Amino acid sequence: MENHSYQTRLNRPWTEPVKVIVDLSLEAQMDKKEADACVQMCGRIYSVNKGSEKPLRLHFTSFRMNSALLNELWRIETRQLHADFNTEHFSTLFEPERLIYLTNESNNVIDTLEPNHIYIIGGMDDHYKHGKTFLRVAEEFGIRHARLPIFSTVILNNHGFLRMDNVFEMLLLFNAGKTWRQTLMKFVPDLDATAVDAAECFKQLCRVDELNKGVAKTNPLLLHFSGIRGAVKDRIMRDIEGLDWAVKYSTEQFMEQYEPEKLIILTNESENVVDKLELNHAYVIAGLPDQLPHGKRFLQLAIRLGIRHARLPLGDVNKNTLITIDRMFQILLNIYAGKALEQTPMDVQSSTSTAGTSKQYQKIIRLQ
C-alpha cells in the first residue's frame, strides 16, 4: 500500500517529476569515514523523497562494482524505496544537453526546476568543500553547471559545511512549492541562544520592553520578538503569566512575516551606517546577549538572505566591549528621537529619551 501511494504521487498525470541524479563516481576520493557518511546521507535522501507529497525522480549512478558503497546501497535498495540504481556513469545514461551539475563554484544561477532538465548532486559529504571538484567533473564531461540561488561564497553555516542530503532536500522543498527564501530558512545558521545564555537573553528582552515603555508618550518603537524558541521560549512560557510586555512576539521567523526589501539586519561588520530610522523599514537585532562576537554571522545571514545590512554608530569599541540587545535597542531609541550620533555610544545604557513629540511608530524586530 505504501509503495502504491508513493508511485501514485510520483506519476500524477498533471506533472512530470523533476529528475535528480546522485553521482557516486567520486568514491575513490573519499576515505572510509566520508564513504560511511555518504551512505547515511543516501539513506536520508531516500527517506525524505519517499515521504514527500511531491517526490523527485531519483537516480543513483556511477558507483563502482564490488565497492563498499555499492554493497550498502544494494542493502538499502531491498527496502524498496523507489530509486533507480545504475553502475553506469550518468554521462552514458542521459542526454548531455539535459544535465546540470550543481556546484556552489558555478557562476550560473538557476531559479526554477525544469522537468526537461536533470540535476546532478555530487555524491560527497561536504558540498561546500568539494564545490571545485564538482565543477571539474562538469567541465570534463562538457555538461552545464549551476548553483542554487541560496548558495553563496560566504560560509554556509558555522563550520562551512553543507551536506549533500541538505542539497537534495532544498530541491525537494522548492519542487513542492516553497520559495527559495522559505527553503533557505530551514538551513540558515541556528542563532538560538544556548541554555546558558537564555537567562541573560531573557533579562535583556525585559529591559528592551522597559526602555520602550519609558518613551511610550513620545517616541516608542513597534517591537516584535520573532523566532522565539529553545531555552528562551521555555523561559518565556514559564513566566508568561507574570509578563506585562507591550510587544508582539511569535515563534515564526522574521523572514516569514516581513517583506525582504523592508528589512535591515544590524551588524557591526557592515560598512553601511544607520544615521536615521525610516518608517517603512524594519530593523533586526539578533537575539544573542553579546552582539559583537557574532557580527560576521549576522552579516553572512543578511548576504545569504539577500537583504540589506547596516551597523549602528557604536563609537569606540574593541573586542572586549559588551554590546547587549538592550544597548542596541537604546541606541535605536536615541537615533529615532533625533539625538546626535555622539550621544548614542555605550554610556546610554540606562537613559531613556524624551526628545521629540512624534506619535509615529517605527518597526523593530529581533532575530532569535
Side-chain angles (χ1 to χ4, degrees), residues 131-166:
K132 291 182 179 178
T133 300
F134 304 149
L135 181 62
R136 286 196 297 268
V137 172
E139 292 173 343
E140 178 184 351
F141 289 93
I143 61 176
R144 287 178 293 172
H145 50 80
R147 61 182 174 90
L148 302 181
I150 51 182
F151 281 137
S152 173
T153 53
V154 300
I155 295 176
L156 290 171
N157 61 26
N158 294 340
H159 307 291
F161 188 90
L162 182 66
R163 295 160 53 103
M164 74 173 186
D165 54 330
N166 289 159

Side-chain angles (χ1 to χ4, degrees), residues 55-71:
L56 301 169
R57 180 76 71 180
L58 185 57
H59 302 266
F60 290 85
T61 72
S62 322
F63 42 83
R64 298 183 301 164
M65 294 298 295
N66 302 319
S67 69
L69 184 59
L70 173 60
N71 293 336

Side-chain angles (χ1 to χ4, degrees), residues 22-268:
V22 177
D23 172 26
L24 299 172
S25 65
L26 304 169
E27 182 184 359
Q29 301 184 37
M30 294 184 281
D31 58 27
K32 186 178 186 305
K33 182 179 179 181
E34 291 174 323
D36 290 343
C38 183
V39 170
Q40 292 177 358
M41 293 178 196
C42 286
R44 168 68 178 167
I45 289 172
Y46 290 144
S47 298
V48 296
N49 196 50
K50 182 184 179 183
S52 174
E53 182 64 23
K54 192 175 181 183
L56 301 169
R57 180 76 71 180
L58 185 57
H59 302 266
F60 290 85
T61 72
S62 322
F63 42 83
R64 298 183 301 164
M65 294 298 295
N66 302 319
S67 69
L69 184 59
L70 173 60
N71 293 336
E72 181 63 15
L73 287 175
W74 283 139
R75 185 183 69 80
I76 293 176
E77 190 197 21
T78 61
R79 303 175 191 168
Q80 298 181 345
L81 295 183
H82 307 284
D84 296 323
F85 293 80
N86 205 307
T87 58
E88 292 185 55
H89 196 271
F90 62 81
S91 61
T92 65
L93 295 171
F94 303 95
E95 302 92 328
E97 61 273 12
R98 298 181 63 193
L99 299 174
I100 300 177
Y101 214 116
L102 299 178
T103 168
N104 59 297
E105 293 291 335
S106 177
N107 292 324
N108 309 314
V109 181
I110 59 172
D111 54 11
T112 60
L113 298 181
E114 302 291 344
N116 61 322
H117 293 159
I118 304 173
Y119 302 91
I120 305 175
I121 298 175
M124 300 188 81
D125 59 342
D126 186 349
H127 265 241
Y128 185 76
K129 175 181 176 181
H130 298 293
K132 291 182 179 178
T133 300
F134 304 149
L135 181 62
R136 286 196 297 268
V137 172
E139 292 173 343
E140 178 184 351
F141 289 93
I143 61 176
R144 287 178 293 172
H145 50 80
R147 61 182 174 90
L148 302 181
I150 51 182
F151 281 137
S152 173
T153 53
V154 300
I155 295 176
L156 290 171
N157 61 26
N158 294 340
H159 307 291
F161 188 90
L162 182 66
R163 295 160 53 103
M164 74 173 186
D165 54 330
N166 289 159
V167 176
F168 179 83
E169 193 168 359
M170 291 174 185
L171 295 176
L172 195 64
L173 290 171
F174 182 71
N175 185 61
K178 298 289 186 181
T179 65
W180 285 121
R181 291 187 182 278
Q182 291 170 330
T183 298
L184 175 60
M185 290 309 297
K186 185 171 181 177
F187 301 95
V188 296
D190 185 4
L191 298 181
D192 214 0
T194 64
V196 175
D197 293 334
E200 178 59 31
C201 185
F202 180 77
K203 290 179 183 178
Q204 292 182 21
L205 295 183
C206 292
R207 174 64 178 159
V208 166
D209 180 61
E210 291 174 3
L211 289 170
N212 209 41
K213 286 178 181 176
V215 293
K217 295 182 179 180
T218 54
N219 292 297
L221 301 176
L222 287 182
L223 263 176
H224 183 182
F225 298 163
S226 74
I228 297 177
R229 53 184 174 169
V232 175
K233 178 183 177 182
D234 294 341
R235 178 65 184 271
I236 292 174
M237 293 300 101
R238 188 185 71 188
D239 296 340
I240 192 69
E241 296 298 330
L243 293 177
D244 184 28
W245 278 355
V247 57
K248 174 184 176 182
Y249 56 93
S250 69
T251 59
E252 290 183 294
Q253 293 284 353
F254 67 94
M255 281 294 293
E256 299 174 328
Q257 302 174 73
Y258 291 84
E259 298 173 12
E261 60 272 15
K262 294 184 178 181
L263 292 168
I264 299 177
I265 288 183
L266 299 177
T267 166
N268 57 292

